[in-house]
Amino acid sequence: MDTLTRRKFLIASGVTGAAALAAGAGTVGWREIAGRASADPLEPDANVLVLVTLYGGNDGLGTVVPYADGAYHDARPDLAYGADEVLELDDQLGLNPSMTGFKALWDDKKLAVVRGVGYPKPDHSHFRSMDIWQSGSPDHPANTGWIGRWLDATRPDPMRVVSVGATLPPLAIGTRAAGVALPLTSFQAPTGPLGAGVTALSAADPADPPTQAMAARATGTLLSATALFGPPLDAAGSADPDEDDNQAQGGSAGGQNALAKQLGIVSRCIKANVPTQVYAVSLGGFDTHADEKGTQSRLLGELDTAVSGFVKDMSGQSRGVVVAIYSEFGRRVGANASQGTDHGTAGPLLVAGTPVRGGFYGDQPSLTSLDDGDLKVTTDFRSVYGTLLEKVLDTEAGRVLEGSRPTLGFL
């Protein structure tokens, strides 16, 4: 079993290798973030895309539950949720009981459920499957990510793509440009008499010589960054972005945790008009080979609280903010002997936000017509990517993705 962790995936993907370095991949500091927000704010009509990666392979049948299908209960006699447990979406499907915030978004028509999402010739390897999702290239290996190619095709400014955490995922690597990683490093401005002195140094004075004026502006930028990003950073201070190797529960691992804190950072950046159009955050632990029900319910509850709170926080923004949530694959239909499920294929992809047209998109995979025990893919993931590129990032999909596929109607 090749248990995936975010760290292992990033190392295996070669993101720290020559291609990433050649593209300029690196980190960005809070002072530079605040400075760019002030000097080069995001255009008022530019939308924002937030990608949430669920590392480990989230069980789609435990997320969007086919509670009315007898085949579902036959395949998972001890894992299945009953009609009296799920949060009904219609007379066939319901959300996991822990997803009350998503249910409210559904009722408000701000949640789209894209069903049966995957890619041709599915691979059960965490590493290969996640590589396909992040490169957007299932037909052949690629050393660039789909968002990195969007940077290449539009304006290769690294600040336009920010990954919250210490490392940069492969999806953000292009040939000419790469996004930047934003480490969750906390800092505090001095207080008391020392703080008053530093504040006084940041005050502009027309009589200052050029070097002193430059120092004053730099000090002012640092103080602004501290005021703007200090609270969420302090809250995130206990979250080590690479602690995922120690997060295993129920045979699961992967991804960064403290998702609400990551999204808190994203919220501050958006409200400050940081010139970023794509943010990447993650949550791990979904490799539920054993004791799945409790582990997945806990993780989906964390996802629910974080994302529904973020969408509500963003509802007053004049620009469109769209959250897309995906995992490298779903799980097999039948439960295993350890009250878990093994690596599968297709799964639901969730899209949330004020601009979203809520509802179901794509066909629900059959539970009686399987591919060697796996769900058959009904929606190519590149149709989802193409929709996000064209409707959120205002970029023709063909400039980033190979081939032509229909877009979907959730935006």
Side-chain angles (χ1 to χ4, degrees):
M1 179 177 68
D2 58 340
T3 301
L4 177 69
T5 70
R6 181 173 180 272
R7 175 184 294 168
K8 288 178 181 176
F9 173 67
L10 294 175
I11 292 173
S13 68
V15 71
T16 57
L21 293 174
T27 61
V28 65
W30 295 104
R31 183 170 163 177
E32 185 178 356
I33 286 274
R36 287 290 303 272
S38 175
D40 180 28
L42 186 63
E43 296 87 348
D45 59 346
N47 297 318
V48 172
L49 174 63
V50 182
L51 295 171
V52 182
T53 302
L54 305 181
Y55 282 93
N58 178 43
D59 179 20
L61 294 177
T63 305
V64 180
V65 181
Y67 69 91
D69 193 328
Y72 163 68
H73 294 275
D74 292 342
R76 300 182 171 197
D78 296 318
L79 285 183
Y81 289 97
D84 59 338
E85 297 178 282
V86 301
L87 306 171
E88 287 188 21
L89 300 179
D90 65 7
D91 61 358
Q92 296 293 317
L93 299 172
L95 290 173
N96 185 283
S98 65
M99 302 175 72
T100 55
F102 279 97
K103 177 59 165 60
L105 291 174
W106 175 269
D107 292 341
D108 205 20
K109 303 187 185 307
K110 295 180 181 176
L111 174 67
V113 177
V114 188
R115 299 179 290 195
V117 184
Y119 54 86
K121 300 178 182 177
D123 194 310
H124 286 162
S125 163
H126 288 294
F127 300 97
R128 177 61 185 141
S129 191
M130 186 58 83
D131 184 64
I132 288 170
W133 272 91
Q134 296 211 6
S135 67
S137 176
D139 300 324
H140 55 80
N143 60 3
T144 56
W146 72 285
I147 292 297
R149 294 196 297 277
W150 169 74
L151 270 182
D152 286 343
T154 53
R155 182 161 51 88
D157 175 0
M159 190 69 83
R160 297 176 73 210
V161 179
V162 169
S163 174
V164 180
T167 49
L168 194 64
L171 65 86
I173 305 298
T175 301
R176 296 193 301 135
V180 289
L182 181 60
L184 295 174
T185 303
S186 183
F187 59 89
Q188 291 182 333
T191 59
L194 179 58
V198 172
T199 301
L201 287 174
S202 69
D205 186 335
D208 286 343
T211 53
Q212 189 169 331
M214 183 182 300
R217 287 195 297 272
T219 303
T221 299
L222 179 59
L223 292 175
S224 297
T226 303
L228 183 61
F229 299 109
L233 280 173
D234 290 342
S238 61
D240 178 354
D242 289 321
E243 68 181 359
D244 51 317
D245 286 336
N246 301 318
Q247 290 289 330
Q249 287 194 30
S252 60
Q256 299 183 96
N257 289 305
L259 180 62
K261 296 171 183 174
Q262 296 174 55
L263 289 175
I265 297 295
V266 174
S267 170
R268 292 288 180 123
C269 290
I270 292 173
K271 291 177 180 177
N273 293 320
V274 173
T276 298
Q277 271 196 272
V278 180
Y279 293 91
V281 298
S282 66
L283 178 66
F286 288 92
D287 198 14
T288 48
H289 288 281
D291 303 322
E292 173 177 310
K293 205 165 186 178
T295 301
Q296 192 199 24
S297 181
R298 174 181 58 79
L299 291 167
L300 291 178
E302 182 175 349
L303 175 72
D304 180 83
T305 300
V307 172
S308 63
F310 176 77
V311 171
K312 182 179 180 181
D313 187 30
M314 291 292 102
S315 62
Q317 288 289 304
S318 58
R319 68 176 82 254
V321 180
V322 174
V323 182
I325 305 161
Y326 74 98
S327 192
E328 67 264 41
F329 45 58
R331 317 293 295 187
R332 288 177 72 79
V333 174
N336 62 26
S338 301
Q339 301 305 313
T341 55
D342 299 325
H343 303 174
T345 52
L349 188 152
L350 306 179
V351 187
T354 299
V356 172
R357 297 172 181 166
F360 290 120
Y361 296 88
D363 295 329
Q364 178 69 12
S366 169
L367 292 178
T368 55
S369 177
L370 303 177
D371 182 7
D372 192 24
D374 285 327
L375 296 174
K376 295 178 180 177
V377 173
T378 60
T379 306
D380 193 301
F381 77 127
R382 288 165 292 186
S383 280
V384 179
Y385 284 1
T387 305
L388 296 173
L389 285 165
E390 297 197 355
K391 303 297 184 181
V392 181
L393 301 179
D394 197 26
T395 302
E396 183 186 351
R399 300 179 68 188
V400 175
L401 304 171
E402 293 182 350
S404 176
R405 291 166 192 83
T407 56
L408 303 174
F410 57 78
L411 286 169

